[in-house]
């Protein structure tokens, strides 16, 4: 199995007044291609910091992070932006679609930022929308879609540049249980197609469908569970 | 992101916020339209004045009584206006080397003129016909100019012929000026705007004018003197020669003159100074409204950045660099400037057509329009820069958490 993501002794310390908050205090993690991982933990466990660092939105204070064999920790702001667009497919709790853009344009947006030609963008966006089951909503505006549909668009957008990992932050948190279950089913289907997925959540229901769960507590990995394929 | 993508993305966003986009654009429209109108108007006035000066040719020196020192626009207090010119002065000027003809002018403003029981007051000007004819280059529409010593002939301005009386006055028509009856020998071509009332004046021989004026006008006095020159000596030098002669005649020192000598050149210079100030003033007023438009863009862009904080976070999370976010907001500011500038120039062109209908030629020149457009885009981007930079520097996590 090819390793797509590796964290080595990653620490993130914040200075708050006179005291140092150790949000992450030495985390090691290795994720292989095709894995389906949940990162869980109560609030204050370092989950959000972990998400920011995995999503390349923040740099660690120390330690190394490697994506697809490339060292990415301590990259410049511009390099981080480029890597976010290419290697990370971000999925948010509140969907975060751009309200002024149509479904297709939203999905095409990361490709536009990455410099993919317009023709190629449209073709790929259409294919991705079909992949998430929204082939018939290509020209809708986000405001015309239900929560579950919006999250599907967000997933299609996350897949746009063929990233190393799909990184989801509480993807079912703003959805009713039926839509939530459908989104999880979609994640499972995508994972079966070979896509690497990391879900950061405190929802135990999510943990039941993943193959591997990492529990964070006080900024360190407390325990790790692996499930055999059913 | 290439330029086409930037513009397409920005326009989609602006359409979404249509009302605010248009209001911001309106601020720039008003600023640019007023700048363009003001500059075009000032240019138009300048052009009109220059055109009327050109109609008089350049080989003349005009001498007026009193010192009307308008050489400095910043001079305070009233100009010195005392002093008179006499026939003796005119004869002395005629002897100055380089002077070919001299016209002794007698201006009788607001003089009653009668035709078929209809009495109207207008300018009656006595001139030396042989000299004045050469000065007045507009020429005659009909008939001929009066001759020196003609006691009964008059030449009338274009408006006198067509507008002053109920009936059109034709060559050969008798007009009564203060009990004396004259016959129209010629009608002048229209002088047009800025013609110092030529179109509304009646010209006759100087001696005939004295008869009309009677005792109210001293027999040695003239209202003004016009000297035509041979064109070989530069106007400024001619002006100095004539001034010298008059200073010794009037026994005054340089700087204390009780007369004013004007040449086409000096008039153009003074007019240029005044219209230059006018342009500066009008431009200044307009620049203030443009500044207000710029503040409007900055304000709107700040609101825009605040409102789109979440969007900035999303864009950064999915791969937009600081530079690209900056570009997006600057593009929006630039587009506002561009559209505002185009509409502003269009309105200014319409307005200058309207102004032209009132008689002042005012046209928007390509140069002014181009300058305004570049300026408008520039001011848009300049006022949009600071908010855009704020947007670009926003840390993505913070932007995403923004409620």
């Amino acid at each position: 199995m090819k390793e797509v993501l590796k964290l080595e002794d990653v620490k993130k310390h914040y200075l708050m007044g006179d005291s140092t908050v150790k949000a992450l205090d030495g985390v090691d993690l290795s994720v292989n291609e095709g894995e389906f991982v949940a990162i869980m933990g109560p609030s204050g466990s370092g989950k959000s910091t972990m998400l920011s660092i995995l999503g390349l939105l923040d740099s660690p204070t120390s330690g190394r992070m490697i994506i697809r064999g490339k060292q990415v920790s301590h990259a410049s702001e511009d390099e981080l932006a480029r890597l976010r667009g290419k290697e990370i497919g971000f999925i948010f709790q509140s969907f975060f679609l751009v309200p002024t853009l149509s479904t297709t344009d939203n999905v095409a947006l990361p490709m536009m930022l990455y410099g993919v030609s317009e023709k190629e963008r449209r073709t790929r966006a259409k294919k991705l929308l079909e992949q998430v089951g929204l082939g018939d909503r290509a020209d809708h505006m986000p405001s015309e879609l239900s929560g579950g549909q919006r999250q599907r668009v967000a997933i299609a957008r996350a897949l746009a540049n063929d990233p190393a990992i799909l990184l989801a932050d509480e993807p079912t948190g703003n959805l009713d249980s039926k839509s939530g279950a459908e989104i999880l089913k979609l994640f499972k289907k995508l994972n079966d197609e070979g896509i690497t997925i990391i879900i950061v959540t405190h929802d135990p229901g999510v943990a039941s469908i993943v193959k591997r769960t990492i529990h964070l507590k006080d900024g360190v990995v407390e325990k790790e569970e692996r499930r055999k394929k059913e | 992101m290439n330029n086409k993508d930037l513009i397409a993305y920005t326009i989609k966003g602006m359409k979404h916020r249509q009302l605010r986009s248009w209001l911001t654009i309106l601020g720039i429209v008003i600023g640019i339209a007023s700048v363009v109108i003001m500059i075009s108007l000032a240019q138009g006035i300048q052009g009109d004045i220059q055109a009327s000066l050109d109609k008089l040719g350049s080989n003349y020196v005009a001498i007026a009584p009193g010192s009307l020192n308008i050489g400095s626009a910043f001079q305070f207090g009233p100009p010195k206006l005392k002093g008179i010119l006499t026939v003796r002065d005119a004869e002395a000027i005629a002897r100055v080397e380089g002077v070919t003809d001299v016209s002794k002018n007698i201006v009788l403003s607001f003089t009653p003129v009668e035709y078929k029981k209809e009495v109207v007051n207008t300018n009656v000007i006595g001139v030396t016909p042989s000299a004045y004819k050469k000065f007045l280059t507009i020429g005659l529409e009909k008939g001929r100019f009066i001759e020196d010593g003609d006691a009964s002939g008059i030449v009338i301005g274009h408006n006198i012929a067509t507008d002053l009386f109920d009936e059109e006055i034709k060559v050969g028509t008798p007009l009564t000026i203060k009990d004396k009856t004259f016959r129209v020998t010629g009608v002048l071509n229209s002088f047009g705007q800025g013609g110092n009332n030529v179109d509304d004046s009646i010209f006759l021989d100087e001696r005939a004018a004295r008869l009309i004026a009677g005792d109210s006008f001293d027999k040695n006095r003239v209202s003004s003197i016009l000297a035509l020159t041979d064109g070989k000596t530069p106007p400024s030098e001619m002006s100095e020669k004539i001034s010298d002669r008059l200073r010794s005649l009037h026994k005054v020192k340089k700087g204390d003159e009780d007369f004013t000598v004007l040449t086409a050149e000096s008039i153009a210079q003074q007019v240029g100074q005044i219209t230059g100030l006018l342009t500066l003033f009008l431009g200044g007023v307009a620049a203030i409204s443009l500044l207000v438009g710029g503040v409007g863009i900055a304000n709107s862009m700040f609101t825009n950045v605040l409102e789109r904080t979440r969007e900035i976070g999303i864009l950064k999370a999915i791969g937009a660099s600081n530079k690209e976010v900056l570009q997006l907001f600057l593009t929006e500011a630039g587009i506002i400037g561009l559209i505002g500038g185009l509409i502003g120039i269009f309105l200014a062109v319409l307005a200058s057509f309207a102004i032209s209908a009132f008689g002042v030629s005012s046209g928007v020149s390509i140069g002014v329009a181009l300058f305004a457009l570049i300026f408008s885009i520039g001011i848009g981007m300049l006022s949009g820069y600071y908010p855009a930079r704020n947007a670009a520097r926003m840390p993505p996590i913070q932007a995403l958490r923004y409620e």
Side-chain angles (χ1 to χ4, degrees), chain B residues 49-310:
Chain B
I49 293 171
Q50 195 53 52
S52 31
L53 288 176
D54 290 347
K55 283 182 196 160
L56 296 176
S58 59
N59 293 332
Y60 69 90
V61 177
I63 303 98
S67 164
L68 186 69
N69 185 7
I70 54 169
S72 161
F74 297 104
Q75 178 198 293
F76 295 100
K80 287 176 274 175
L81 278 166
K82 63 180 169 44
I84 56 163
L85 293 172
T86 63
V87 174
R88 200 161 69 101
D89 292 336
E91 284 160 0
I93 290 166
R95 287 192 297 271
V96 171
E97 198 194 332
V99 172
T100 56
D101 299 89
V102 167
S103 174
K104 290 170 272 186
N105 301 340
I106 292 167
V107 179
L108 308 169
S109 48
F110 217 65
T111 305
V113 179
E114 188 187 334
Y115 175 63
K116 285 192 179 173
K117 305 274 176 223
E118 200 184 337
V119 181
V120 180
N121 290 309
T122 191
N123 287 326
V124 172
I125 301 170
V127 298
T128 308
S130 58
Y132 208 79
K133 194 170 120 187
K134 292 181 191 166
F135 167 68
L136 209 57
T137 52
I138 49 169
L140 286 104
E141 190 183 85
K142 285 173 208 133
R144 56 167 182 84
F145 210 79
I146 41 175
E147 303 291 340
D148 286 6
D150 192 332
S152 64
I154 53 174
V155 169
I156 59 175
H158 195 261
N159 291 348
I160 304 267
T162 55
D163 295 343
L164 200 63
F165 296 98
D166 288 345
E167 270 180 57
E168 194 185 329
I169 307 295
K170 295 200 171 90
V171 173
T173 308
L175 286 183
T176 307
I177 306 172
K178 262 205 179 169
D179 309 333
K180 291 190 189 309
T181 302
F182 295 86
R183 201 162 287 276
V184 176
T185 67
V187 177
L188 291 169
N189 277 319
S190 173
F191 194 98
Q193 285 294 316
N196 203 10
N197 300 331
V198 168
D199 290 347
D200 297 301
S201 298
I202 294 175
F203 297 91
L204 70 174
D205 184 73
E206 171 233 343
R207 272 153 288 182
R210 286 188 192 283
L211 286 175
I212 292 171
D215 293 339
S216 66
F217 202 91
D218 190 285
K219 67 178 171 34
N220 289 320
R221 194 184 143 201
V222 293
S223 302
S224 63
I225 301 166
L226 186 73
L228 299 185
T229 60
D230 57 11
K232 285 174 195 149
T233 321
S236 55
E237 221 171 285
M238 280 313 299
S239 155
E240 206 34 59
K241 275 186 181 178
I242 289 169
S243 294
D244 261 351
R245 183 67 56 93
L246 283 178
R247 271 195 291 266
S248 64
L249 261 171
H250 290 206
K251 297 185 176 63
V252 292
K253 285 198 195 93
K254 203 174 169 120
D256 280 335
E257 289 93 346
D258 57 353
F259 57 87
T260 303
V261 177
L262 297 167
T263 62
E265 204 181 45
S266 71
I267 292 171
Q269 241 172 38
Q270 284 170 349
V271 163
Q273 250 182 11
I274 293 167
T275 52
L277 271 177
L278 185 75
T279 311
L280 211 66
F281 173 73
L282 292 179
V285 171
I288 291 170
S289 50
L290 199 58
L291 190 71
V292 173
V295 173
I297 290 194
N299 185 29
S300 168
M301 290 305 287
F302 269 118
T303 320
N304 200 358
V305 168
L306 213 62
E307 224 171 54
R308 292 165 70 190
T309 302
R310 175 70 64 70

Side-chain angles (χ1 to χ4, degrees), chain A residues 77 84 105 112 118 121, chain B residues 4-5 12 316 322:
Chain A
E77 254 186 271
R84 278 199 294 273
D105 285 342
M112 182 172 107
E118 189 174 348
R121 294 199 303 254
Chain B
K4 198 180 138 215
D5 291 338
K12 278 172 191 161
K316 287 196 160 184
N322 288 1

Side-chain angles (χ1 to χ4, degrees), chain A residues 4 10 27 30-31 41 45 51 60 73 82 84 89-90 97 102 119-120 136 141 148 153-154 164 191 197 211 225:
Chain A
V4 288
V10 165
V27 173
S30 167
V31 177
S45 60
L51 179 85
S73 32
R82 188 96 181 142
R84 278 199 294 273
F90 236 119
L97 299 179
S102 72
K119 201 177 151 206
E120 210 181 322
D136 55 340
M141 295 305 281
V153 177
N191 180 245
I197 302 171
K211 298 169 188 164
E225 296 167 294

Side-chain angles (χ1 to χ4, degrees), chain A residues 1 31 46 56 82-83 100 128 138 167 195 201 205 228:
Chain A
M1 271 294 180
V31 177
L56 299 172
R82 188 96 181 142
L83 285 164
T100 56
L128 287 167
L167 184 62
I195 290 163
T201 182
K228 290 259 162 6

